Amino acid sequence: MARITLDRPQSMNAFNREQRELFREALLAADADDTVRAIVITGRGKAFCAGQDQHESAAMDAAGSAARIDSYLELYEVFRALRKPVIARINGVAAGAGLQIALMSDLRIASTQARFGMTEFKVGSAAIVGSALLWPIIGEAAMKRLVLLAEIVPAGPSLELGLVHEVVEDERLDERVAEVCALIAGWSPTSVAITKAWWKEMGDELFVKACAAARRGHAANFASGAYSEGARKFTERKRA
């Protein structure tokens, strides 16, 4: 097992450029290691990942915004192509891009302290890739509610929605993740890799469409000023 920990606890492990790059490198290294049978992703502190760092968003120009979208989509391509099973060990809030990372994981095991939200509208962003990831997992109606209301959903109701596979008491989270990894370690790595490649292929058409829509949509949203203004207001609320 390789454990990758998102490590910006002072920002609830929100993604900035450095963390995206480090995360991508860690994923590739774990996938290339033949001794690793499963990859576990978690967050340090009380959060799994609160999404995009809005301080970074508020300071971006159009070129920076376009480059960031590309960096996320490249990260997601790496994530989707991993040969090893990925388990999201969700210890706290998973929102926005953090929820997207959890949704792309093969298994989502959550603590009772976990919470989930696709909260893009709260910062003036558009929910494009997030909608595409949610739809096959929880269905159209639940996806639209989660996006339009920007709700933060506790662990129990998230299990009922199908957002997560299991919810366990916080003190049992590591034990349960270890049990799952031990089971997976007994399977043929070749069989698992072939199956994962097929899972990726099954979702390729929707993902390619989502990437194209994300590049178009986020560029238009940035040009409108909605995202910069939303990010600025969010950071001002946090400072207040």
Side-chain angles (χ1 to χ4, degrees), residues 1 37-40 87 176-186:
M1 178 188 81
R37 296 297 183 88
I39 300 169
V40 175
I87 300 156
R176 181 55 184 154
V177 169
E179 290 172 353
V180 170
C181 288
L183 178 64
I184 290 171

Side-chain angles (χ1 to χ4, degrees), residues 52-154:
Q52 167 61 28
D53 187 324
Q54 297 307 318
H55 293 280
E56 182 181 79
S57 301
M60 279 187 170
D61 58 14
S65 177
R68 185 185 62 190
I69 292 300
D70 284 342
S71 77
Y72 269 114
L73 298 181
E74 288 165 8
L75 169 62
Y76 291 178
E77 285 282 13
V78 166
F79 205 105
R80 296 180 68 248
L82 294 171
R83 298 175 300 131
K84 314 290 175 65
V86 180
I87 300 156
R89 174 196 177 276
I90 307 168
N91 52 306
V93 66
L99 178 53
Q100 291 174 30
I101 290 296
L103 292 170
M104 286 187 292
S105 300
D106 299 305
L107 291 175
R108 291 172 291 282
I109 302 176
S111 157
T112 50
Q113 304 303 309
R115 295 171 292 139
F116 303 85
M118 196 59 70
T119 51
E120 273 76 353
F121 288 171
K122 288 186 176 181
V123 294
S125 186
I128 298 173
V129 174
S131 295
L133 293 171
L134 281 168
W135 192 329
I137 293 173
I138 64 173
E140 180 183 2
M143 175 273 288
K144 288 183 176 179
R145 178 186 174 96
L146 207 63
V147 170
L148 281 173
L149 302 187
E151 293 178 314
I152 297 294
V153 183

